[in-house]
Amino acid sequence: MSNNFTKVENPVLVVEGKQADNERLKAESDYLRGTIKEDLQDRMTGGFTSDNFQLIRTHGMYQQDDRDIRAERQKQKLEPLHNVMLRARLPGGIINPTQWLAIDKFADDYTSYGSIRLTTRQTFQFHGVLKPNIKLMHQTLNSVGLDSIATAGDVNRNVLCTSNPVESTLHQEAYEWATKLSEHLLPKTRAYAEIWLDEEKVETTEADEIEPILGSNYLPRKFKTTVVIPPNNDIDVHANDLNFVAISEGGKLIGFNVLVGGGLAMTHGDKGTYPRCADDFGFIAKEDTLAIAAAVVTVQRDWGNRVNRKNAKTKYTLDRVGVDTFKAEVEKRAGVEFSESRSYEFTHRGDSFGWVEGIDGKHHLTLFIENGRILDSERADFDGKTLKTGMREIAKIHQGDFRLTANQNLIVAGVAEADKAVIEQLARDNGLLNDGVSNQRKASMACVAFPTCPLAMAEAERYLPTLVDDVEAILEKNNLKDESIILRVTGCPNGCGRAMLAEIGLVGKGPGKYNMYLGSDLAGSRVPKLYKENVDEAGVLSEIDALSARWSAERNDNEAFGDFVIRAGIVEQVIVSFKDFHHA
Ligand code: SRM
Ligand code: SF4
């Protein structure tokens, strides 16, 4: 549920104080160029130095090293094995077969993990690209019409769009808005083209190049935008700063309800940080979409906290200045007034697997990809599956496109009747389609965490498959075999696996230790509440066993687990003020 509108007396619109160092480095970066070009030539180190370490993020890359071998290299007095992770920009998650074949080959030839990793924000990542291959990577992407501009850093990130292949007309319109929003809010600097694609520097006066929306210092913090088509909240609106909820009449889009200020991250032990649901600002006609988006972004740009990065996201700005004040400023800047929200309902999240037929007569096959990891691997949890080969073979013959979902899965979309059988066979032969996958596994998700994420405190992706094995056994024992609980694991409280919108959310605290949160709902409109702290893996299982036994015995008809734990008083519902999240 959305929190009540807050009115703050004498709001502090701009936080005074010593600005965070990221503000200096953005200001000195010459519109995101820094000295990345020079740094790229420096082969004394596999990493990027000083400010470039941060600046490459705005070009879609993070410097990483393999944490499994970090200590060993340290012992041998070697520099960490620096490499970059790349995150592509893919508005609405749509990628065509030619593009797929190009990224498939790059992953084989130039990444140390050999995988394509689908993310919780409808795009893919390469992990383990060495410095000498970075430019080639961008040029490869560019050759097939892809880029990685602004998928990280203090900018508007990859714009999400509900992966709804069935209602093709509405989806097409929503997807077009996601693409327009992505382009409209993209940095206008030519830094990416100059550094990675060797394009000439076009001499401009500073005034020409000023970023009209993002500003010369870009945003105070990352910013996330979605277009969502009810009743499926598959993109989890409450994880995002700005959401356009599609309102349609007769299958045609007429406008959007606008939800502002969601976000999930917090820091253990810092009560000034908290997950927060987005507020509903009201309805706008679709023609006003870009003006409203620009206004929300510029209000956050001007009022967001540039002193403390932990309180810099839109959700904190709303709570500091008051939702009414923020909304009024958006209306003023856009020259648009919100009208009363149109009614809509989110009934579910997650993806529906298998074949569906769209209203245009085309067929769409949603594949469950555990953890979004597309790999051919001997890894035990892969059981000899050749997901990467399977996807390559499908891409070679597929005439439609692929749609990445915000739940790390993939849709083979737009398949003609005549091609269905061969695509299904390829999917089955390579482990991409398996009728035996349980509802519980399909409802489970984890972030990347170890070995690549530098911020991981506990395992997530590598823990999930066996955790789900155990949870499946527990559910069966408690007569809940075909039921499922939305179960999400994140390796730290940043919340990349969206555990803070799960019915059971496990948030990494330390090696093998998790804080356990309970009580989101099927529609993803409720933040769960802390149930137990610092639980080890055995403890997690015994808690799930006890809780699911109660759920099985005491639930009302079809009552979902998250609703049950609140009704039964096992945890309280977080309702009014998210600022009090840690206290109740
Ligand atoms: Fe995330 C940082 C992975 C979705 C909140 N996230 C990271 C980094 C880049 C670690 C770092 O800063 O060095 C992780 C890289 C791991 C790796 O090795 O790949 C990382 N985040 C991911 C992905 C790949 C998780 C996944 O398993 O799919 C998701 C990529 C999304 C994308 O394609 O753009 C991902 N991250 C999210 C989400 C979920 C969402 O947006 O739906 C969240 C919570 C929502 C939110 O923003 O509130 C999220 N990631 C964070 C944060 C906390 C931000 C904050 O508000 O404080 C960080 C850390 C930071 O920014 O300082 C972070
Ligand atoms: Fe890394 Fe934490 Fe995000 Fe997981 S939640 S990917 S551990 S930053």
Side-chain angles (χ1 to χ4, degrees):
M1 71 173 283
S2 176
N3 65 340
N4 296 338
F5 269 22
T6 46
K7 191 154 183 66
V8 173
E9 294 304 326
N10 306 319
V12 177
L13 300 183
V14 177
V15 178
E16 304 288 347
K18 187 175 178 313
Q19 297 217 326
D21 191 49
N22 288 57
E23 295 305 320
R24 175 202 58 75
L25 76 88
K26 284 180 280 182
E28 292 174 2
S29 75
D30 185 18
Y31 295 95
L32 309 181
R33 291 178 180 87
T35 54
I36 297 174
K37 225 172 175 171
E38 293 74 21
D39 210 342
L40 206 55
Q41 305 307 322
D42 179 2
R43 296 292 151 85
M44 293 295 287
T45 167
F48 286 85
T49 49
S50 64
D51 294 351
N52 299 329
F53 175 89
Q54 293 282 346
L55 282 175
I56 59 167
R57 296 184 175 189
T58 57
H59 302 252
M61 289 170 294
Y62 288 83
Q63 181 170 318
Q64 299 186 324
D65 67 294
D66 187 327
R67 294 184 61 183
D68 285 348
I69 57 169
R70 192 187 276 177
E72 185 53 37
R73 285 183 69 91
Q74 238 162 15
K75 237 196 273 163
Q76 295 179 22
K77 308 238 174 319
L78 292 170
E79 181 183 78
L81 188 56
H82 295 306
N83 57 61
V84 300
M85 172 267 273
L86 171 118
R87 183 182 289 161
R89 183 171 70 97
L90 216 57
I94 297 193
I95 179 165
N96 68 41
T98 308
Q99 293 169 331
W100 187 274
L101 290 172
I103 66 165
D104 172 79
K105 183 159 168 30
F106 188 87
D108 273 352
D109 295 349
Y110 296 105
T111 73
S112 41
Y113 298 90
S115 69
I116 296 170
R117 174 58 157 75
L118 312 186
T119 76
T120 51
R121 295 191 67 76
Q122 279 187 313
T123 186
F124 66 87
Q125 291 182 175
F126 292 136
H127 287 98
V129 180
L130 299 176
K131 205 173 181 182
N133 299 324
I134 295 177
K135 215 162 163 176
L136 174 69
M137 170 171 67
H138 290 290
Q139 298 187 349
T140 304
L141 292 178
N142 181 254
S143 71
V144 289
L146 295 174
D147 64 63
S148 63
I149 302 172
T151 54
D154 297 344
V155 285
N156 180 58
R157 305 282 184 98
N158 194 42
V159 178
L160 306 189
C161 178
T162 296
S163 322
N164 177 346
V166 179
E167 287 185 70
S168 35
T169 319
L170 183 57
H171 180 270
Q172 183 59 31
E173 275 194 278
Y175 166 67
E176 280 164 16
W177 279 110
T179 307
K180 280 187 225 166
L181 283 160
S182 174
E183 297 295 330
H184 196 59
L185 302 176
L186 213 57
K188 302 293 180 266
T189 170
R190 289 181 33 82
Y192 184 91
E194 287 167 21
I195 299 169
W196 311 111
L197 309 178
D198 289 332
E199 288 186 15
E200 289 289 307
K201 185 163 185 176
V202 181
E203 286 309 326
T204 53
T205 63
E206 182 136 325
D208 288 327
E209 212 180 37
I210 282 179
E211 298 275 7
I213 296 176
L214 299 173
S216 56
N217 252 30
Y218 296 86
L219 302 181
R221 199 69 166 90
K222 57 173 66 171
F223 190 92
K224 297 181 172 179
T225 304
T226 77
V227 179
V228 60
I229 309 174
N232 191 2
N233 182 18
D234 59 343
I235 51 80
D236 265 330
V237 288
H238 295 296
N240 292 277
D241 298 70
L242 173 59
N243 303 277
F244 292 92
V245 182
I247 304 295
S248 59
E249 274 174 14
K252 298 284 281 175
L253 184 74
I254 55 160
F256 297 102
N257 283 357
V258 180
L259 270 59
V260 181
L264 303 183
M266 56 188 168
T267 302
H268 289 311
D270 180 349
K271 292 190 168 144
T273 64
Y274 45 86
R276 181 190 193 280
C277 287
D279 289 290
D280 190 341
F281 276 24
F283 174 81
I284 54 158
K286 64 181 176 184
E287 296 72 33
D288 295 327
T289 307
L290 296 183
I292 286 290
V296 173
V297 169
T298 63
V299 175
Q300 163 62 5
R301 177 196 70 195
D302 297 343
W303 291 356
N305 187 335
R306 290 182 187 261
V307 172
N308 178 2
R309 286 180 67 77
K310 286 206 178 299
N311 286 146
K313 286 204 76 187
T314 316
K315 60 181 177 178
Y316 301 114
T317 313
L318 283 172
D319 284 344
R320 191 184 72 247
V321 307
V323 178
D324 287 339
T325 309
F326 194 110
K327 182 180 155 185
E329 184 69 11
V330 169
E331 289 179 321
K332 191 170 103 196
R333 292 189 187 195
V336 174
E337 273 193 23
F338 290 98
S339 57
E340 202 175 315
S341 290
R342 301 295 166 93
S343 86
Y344 70 94
E345 198 186 3
F346 288 132
T347 54
H348 59 286
R349 287 180 283 169
D351 301 321
S352 306
F353 297 93
W355 286 105
V356 286
E357 186 177 348
I359 51 177
D360 60 355
K362 293 279 190 189
H363 302 270
H364 313 281
L365 176 63
T366 305
L367 303 171
F368 169 71
I369 312 287
E370 190 158 44
N371 288 317
R373 186 71 70 178
I374 296 198
L375 177 70
D376 290 351
S377 175
E378 299 304 311
R379 245 167 60 180
D381 53 312
F382 262 67
D383 298 329
K385 288 191 278 262
T386 47
L387 307 186
K388 195 150 168 301
T389 301
M391 278 303 303
R392 185 185 320 124
E393 294 307 313
I394 292 173
K396 282 183 190 164
I397 57 162
H398 181 41
Q399 303 292 314
D401 55 36
F402 298 116
R403 295 177 189 184
L404 310 190
T405 80
N407 299 297
Q408 304 169 335
N409 296 310
L410 185 145
I411 305 174
V412 186
V415 180
E417 178 72 38
D419 299 332
K420 269 181 78 182
V422 60
I423 285 182
E424 177 166 338
Q425 198 57 49
L426 283 171
R428 286 194 187 281
D429 289 349
N430 292 286
L432 287 158
L433 188 60
N434 174 356
D435 301 331
V437 177
S438 69
N439 289 337
Q440 182 53 54
R441 198 168 297 275
K442 290 175 190 161
S444 305
M445 190 159 85
C447 72
V448 179
F450 287 98
T452 54
C453 179
L455 308 179
M457 298 172 175
E459 294 282 355
E461 177 176 332
R462 297 195 293 199
Y463 169 42
L464 190 75
T466 51
L467 170 66
V468 175
D469 289 345
D470 292 332
V471 174
E472 283 170 346
I474 288 170
L475 293 184
E476 182 157 3
K477 183 183 114 209
N478 292 326
N479 303 316
L480 295 162
K481 183 169 181 295
D482 294 323
E483 298 288 341
S484 60
I485 299 169
I486 298 174
L487 169 66
R488 294 176 174 178
V489 186
T490 63
C492 82
N494 285 323
C496 305
R498 295 199 294 269
M500 293 313 295
L501 284 171
E503 292 182 289
I504 298 181
L506 300 179
V507 176
K509 191 83 196 284
K513 294 281 175 63
Y514 299 86
N515 282 357
M516 199 169 177
Y517 291 81
L518 302 180
S520 186
D521 58 351
L522 297 185
S525 58
R526 198 163 60 210
V527 164
K529 188 79 184 155
L530 182 63
Y531 170 62
K532 290 266 159 82
E533 260 181 293
N534 252 329
V535 189
D536 64 15
E537 292 180 12
V540 165
L541 294 180
S542 62
E543 291 294 350
I544 294 179
D545 189 6
L547 290 164
S548 62
R550 278 194 65 184
W551 180 41
S552 177
E554 300 169 33
R555 72 194 289 210
N556 292 334
D557 285 351
N558 295 324
E559 190 176 29
F561 178 84
D563 296 337
F564 166 73
V565 291
I566 286 168
R567 185 181 57 80
I570 296 167
V571 287
E572 279 174 17
Q573 185 171 352
V574 179
I575 14 171
V576 182
S577 171
F578 287 93
K579 286 192 262 188
D580 294 333
F581 176 75
H582 299 279
H583 303 287

